[in-house]
């Protein structure tokens, strides 16, 4: 499936969106986006938009990367190196993960501070491994930690670390200088005029995916085919129609966009589009909250209420109001255009992220404190393998969870945030569907700290009606971060506490559950959730 399409299944929504598209066409919004007109989002957004619109030409400008990627991959294979590990967060990891999963090629993605998950990546065959260190700012703490840990591990195996590290970053970043001074194997410089969440077709998306074996040239071809359609000031433009539908629904109170895959053949697309929409629109007390579900029959999608727009990726389905289909490259560009259009309709700057740094600053402050200071002295309740932290009434875990759910406002949402190992603790993801089913509340799920680089902006800047369930776990075998005064476990804990602190400062309900035994704790928690009901 190559041609992109948008089908607005609901006839009333289709009629309302068509009327709004007429205005967008009259204002030449599509062609002005393509021409990189920074005035589309108002004077307050103009300075940021002026340096963030090069994503519209990436299907052309990124082609020069293809030969470099192919040559490096051939050189690595000649050296017996064919295992690619990617250290990156947010826009540096989400797109490569979707691209490689869809292509069916292996890529080890490290977007975590969980010691066990990092140890699992280290346990692979290092003699065959190249580490791609990917950071737009060049100072991402998680990615820097991964680089330090792998550099030490390569050296311990007698491997020349600098020959096994490839860097993707923006020109002039601290990481560029570090990489060049250290003599790392290759430095790819990305287009600095593209924001992280719009960077799927830059070096951030193409380099790790291409080294892993995905056909990234085809991806650019798909985007090029879509670009011709998306730039047209025409009522049939799918980017305008999709953006208009989202804008209309938001004006009617549908502040959530609920996603399900329906036979698209694209693996994990909702996880990528989640960051794009949340960071682009979730600010100044407004925005669209993306909710990735398990399928068209999943709780929250099949029964989406008036506060949500059920959106299928792939074939239309009866429970969806909107469906989008096409190739991966085409869908990437479609959703980027539609999100920019929605930003105009919502009256916000879709290219800044004013609240992303808050949790990072809080985590850094906690890391700078002496061990033990700033943390809770003891839990408010211990129920088996689960310690409870938070001001919620109840003499059992089930009762506490009921109190927590009662704190969710009408038309609000629950965000489950699991600071765990997304491989070994994968059962935590079951909590999203269980909570949505038992409570009838729209529920998101994110692995921490991965979600901080994705939906974290919306949590602080979007509609202030979320309730936040943090899950942390005991660390059995921690990992030191070389030349840093903390371990991964300490960093992970600080990130959870720091984000919780910022959310509490926004007067949002925050409940942290600490699993003293991860496997037993998750089983105990799932059982408790199954006993929770919201009237």
């Amino acid at each position: 499936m190559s041609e992109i399409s948008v089908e607005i299944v609901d006839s009333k929504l289709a009629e309302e969106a068509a009327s709004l598209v007429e205005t967008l066409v009259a204002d030449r919004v599509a062609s002005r986006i393509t021409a990189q007109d920074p005035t589309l989002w108002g004077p307050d957004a103009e300075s940021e938009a002026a340096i963030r619109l090069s994503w519209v030409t990436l299907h052309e400008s990124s082609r020069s990367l293809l030969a470099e990627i192919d040559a490096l991959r051939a050189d690595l294979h000649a050296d017996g190196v064919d295992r690619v590990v990617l250290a990156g967060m947010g826009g540096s990891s989400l797109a490569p993960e979707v691209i490689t999963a869809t292509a069916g090629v292996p890529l080890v993605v490290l977007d975590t501070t969980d010691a066990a998950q990092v140890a699992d990546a280290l346990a692979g065959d290092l003699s065959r491994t190249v580490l791609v260190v990917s950071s737009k700012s060049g100072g991402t703490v998680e990615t820097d930690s991964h680089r330090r840990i792998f550099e030490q591990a390569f050296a311990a195996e007698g491997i020349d670390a600098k020959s096994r590290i490839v860097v993707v970053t923006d020109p002039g970043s601290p990481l560029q200088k570090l990489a060049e001074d250290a003599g790392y194997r290759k430095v790819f410089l990305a287009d600095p005029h593209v924001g992280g969440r719009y960077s799927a077709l830059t070096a951030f998306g193409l380099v790790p995916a291409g080294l892993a074996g995905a056909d990234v040239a085809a991806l650019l071809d798909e985007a090029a085919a879509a670009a011709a359609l998306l730039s047209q000031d025409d009522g049939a433009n799918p980017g305008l129609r999709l953006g208009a539908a989202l804008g209309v629904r938001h004006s009617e109170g549908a502040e959530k966009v609920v996603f399900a895959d329906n036979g698209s053949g694209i693996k994990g697309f909702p996880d990528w589009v989640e960051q794009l929409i949340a960071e682009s629109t979730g600010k100044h007390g407004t925005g669209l909250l993306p909710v990735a579900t398990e399928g068209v029959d999943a709780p929250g999608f099949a029964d989406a209420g008036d506060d949500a727009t059920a959106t299928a990726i792939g074939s239309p389905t009866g429970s969806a109001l909107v469906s989008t289909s096409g190739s991966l490259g085409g869908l990437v560009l479609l959703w980027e255009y539609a999100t920019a259009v929605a930003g105009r309709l919502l009256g916000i700057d879709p290219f800044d992220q004013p609240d992303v740094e808050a949790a990072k600053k809080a985590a850094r402050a906690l890391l700078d404190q002496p061990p033990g200071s700033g943390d809770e002295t003891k839990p408010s309740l211990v129920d088996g393998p689960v310690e409870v932290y938070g001001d919620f009434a109840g003499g059992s875990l089930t009762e506490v969870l009921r109190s927590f759910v009662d704190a969710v406002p009408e038309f609000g949402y629950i965000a489950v945030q699991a600071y765990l190992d997304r491989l070994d603790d994968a059962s935590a993801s079951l909590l999203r569907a269980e909570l949505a089913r038992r409570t009838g509340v729209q529920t998101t799920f994110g692995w921490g700290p991965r979600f901080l680089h994705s939906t974290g902006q919306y949590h602080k800047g979007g509609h202030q009606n979320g309730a936040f369930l943090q899950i942390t776990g005991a660390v059995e075998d921690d990992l030191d971060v070389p030349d840093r005064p903390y371990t991964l476990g300490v960093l992970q804990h600080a990130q959870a506490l720091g984000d919780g602190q910022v959310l509490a400062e926004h007067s949002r309900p925050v409940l942290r559950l600490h699993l003293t035994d991860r496997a037993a704790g998750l089983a105990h928690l799932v059982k408790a959730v199954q006993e929770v009901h919201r009237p």
Side-chain angles (χ1 to χ4, degrees):
M1 186 187 297
S2 58
E3 187 172 329
I4 55 170
S5 67
V6 172
E7 181 168 343
I8 303 176
V9 180
D10 182 82
S11 57
K12 178 176 177 291
L13 176 58
E15 183 178 338
E16 292 172 330
S19 177
L20 187 52
V21 166
E22 290 180 8
T23 301
L24 294 170
V25 169
D27 291 341
R28 298 183 297 107
V29 169
S31 62
R32 287 168 66 193
I33 291 175
T34 305
Q36 303 183 44
D37 181 349
T39 67
L40 279 166
W41 299 274
D44 291 343
E46 188 170 342
S47 61
E48 184 73 19
I51 58 171
R52 290 288 179 259
L53 283 164
S54 289
W55 53 268
V56 299
T57 60
L58 290 173
H59 54 281
E60 299 170 350
S61 60
S62 286
R63 290 191 182 273
S64 61
L65 287 168
L66 299 178
E68 290 186 75
I69 295 169
D70 287 344
L72 177 58
R73 185 167 187 259
D75 287 347
L76 288 167
H77 280 217
D79 292 343
V81 177
D82 58 3
R83 175 178 181 256
V84 183
V85 177
L86 170 62
M89 303 297 297
S92 297
S93 64
L94 293 168
E97 189 166 55
V98 174
I99 296 167
T100 52
T102 300
V105 298
L107 177 69
V108 179
V109 176
L110 284 182
D111 53 3
T112 181
T113 44
D114 190 85
Q117 192 173 331
V118 175
D120 186 69
L122 286 170
D125 188 349
L126 293 182
S127 70
R128 297 174 38 237
T129 298
V130 60
L131 177 72
V132 180
V133 180
S134 187
S135 171
K136 183 174 179 63
S137 69
T140 309
V141 64
E142 300 95 333
T143 304
D144 181 66
S145 298
H146 300 148
R147 178 190 64 80
R148 292 170 181 273
I149 289 169
F150 265 78
E151 195 164 32
Q152 183 181 73
F154 282 134
E157 292 288 319
I159 298 169
D160 179 18
K162 66 177 182 291
S163 72
R164 298 301 188 84
I165 298 178
V166 171
V167 163
V168 184
T169 191
D170 271 5
S173 79
L175 182 56
Q176 179 190 1
K177 183 177 188 312
L178 184 152
E180 291 173 348
D181 289 348
Y184 290 160
R185 183 150 191 163
K186 178 76 173 176
V187 178
F188 289 91
L189 297 179
D191 188 334
H193 295 149
V194 179
R197 56 190 176 274
Y198 291 83
S199 66
L201 302 179
T202 70
F204 289 108
L206 302 183
V207 169
L211 292 180
D215 187 348
V216 291
L219 194 72
L220 295 180
D221 291 342
E222 294 164 358
L229 183 58
L230 292 166
S231 63
Q232 298 299 310
D233 294 315
D234 185 283
N237 183 326
L240 296 180
R241 294 179 65 237
L242 178 55
L246 296 175
V248 167
R249 288 290 292 158
H250 185 271
S251 70
E252 296 172 345
E255 62 198 43
K256 306 172 185 74
V257 184
V258 187
F259 289 97
D261 185 85
N262 195 36
S264 72
I266 297 172
K267 308 296 184 184
F269 189 81
D271 291 333
W272 173 79
V273 82
E274 189 177 56
Q275 182 197 24
L276 175 68
I277 295 173
E279 280 197 351
S280 297
T281 69
K283 58 202 73 170
H284 308 306
T286 190
L288 296 164
L289 175 69
V291 181
T293 70
E294 299 75 22
V296 294
D297 297 322
F301 187 89
D303 56 350
D306 292 339
D307 62 332
T309 303
T311 305
I313 304 296
S315 302
T317 174
S319 52
L321 294 182
V322 179
S323 69
T324 66
S325 60
S327 61
L328 175 53
L331 282 176
V332 164
L333 203 58
L334 166 65
W335 276 98
E336 288 174 342
Y337 266 87
T339 300
V341 170
R344 176 178 167 88
L345 297 175
L346 269 63
I348 51 89
D349 176 359
F351 305 110
D352 69 349
Q353 49 280 332
D355 303 291
V356 162
E357 281 297 317
K360 297 178 186 178
K361 289 178 181 177
R364 285 195 293 266
L366 289 168
L367 286 174
D368 289 340
Q369 294 177 3
S373 62
D375 195 359
E376 304 87 348
T377 54
K378 58 182 179 180
S380 58
L381 173 73
V382 177
D383 188 331
V386 179
E387 295 177 347
V388 176
Y389 295 88
D391 189 18
F392 296 93
S396 69
L397 180 57
T398 298
E399 291 175 0
V400 168
L401 286 167
R402 286 173 181 155
S403 298
F404 170 75
V405 170
D406 287 344
V408 182
E410 186 179 14
F411 303 120
Y413 67 96
I414 295 171
V416 182
Q417 304 170 340
Y419 290 83
L420 301 169
D421 180 339
R422 69 180 174 116
L423 302 178
D424 289 348
D425 301 323
S427 62
S429 62
L430 299 173
L431 292 167
R432 194 217 69 81
E434 284 297 330
L435 275 167
R437 180 181 296 112
R438 305 290 169 177
T439 67
V441 175
Q442 283 293 349
T443 304
T444 67
F445 180 90
W447 295 103
R450 166 184 165 121
F451 76 86
L452 292 174
H453 300 258
S454 179
T455 52
Q457 165 62 42
Y458 184 98
H459 294 160
K460 288 85 164 179
H463 293 277
Q464 292 300 291
N465 55 6
F468 300 89
L469 177 60
Q470 293 187 327
I471 306 169
T472 57
V475 178
E476 291 186 5
D477 298 304
D478 209 347
L479 283 175
D480 290 328
V481 180
D483 300 319
R484 285 292 181 264
Y486 49 78
T487 64
L488 282 183
V490 169
L491 174 58
Q492 183 183 48
H493 191 63
Q495 289 174 315
L497 294 184
D499 192 47
Q501 175 182 309
V502 174
L503 292 168
E505 290 169 356
H506 281 70
S507 301
R508 304 315 318 144
V510 181
L511 172 62
R512 183 167 72 88
L513 304 178
H514 183 72
L515 314 179
T516 54
D517 179 304
R518 293 193 181 195
L522 283 172
H524 193 66
L525 176 53
V526 169
K527 183 179 178 182
V529 166
Q530 291 171 340
E531 297 171 355
V532 172
H533 300 276
R534 191 186 202 196

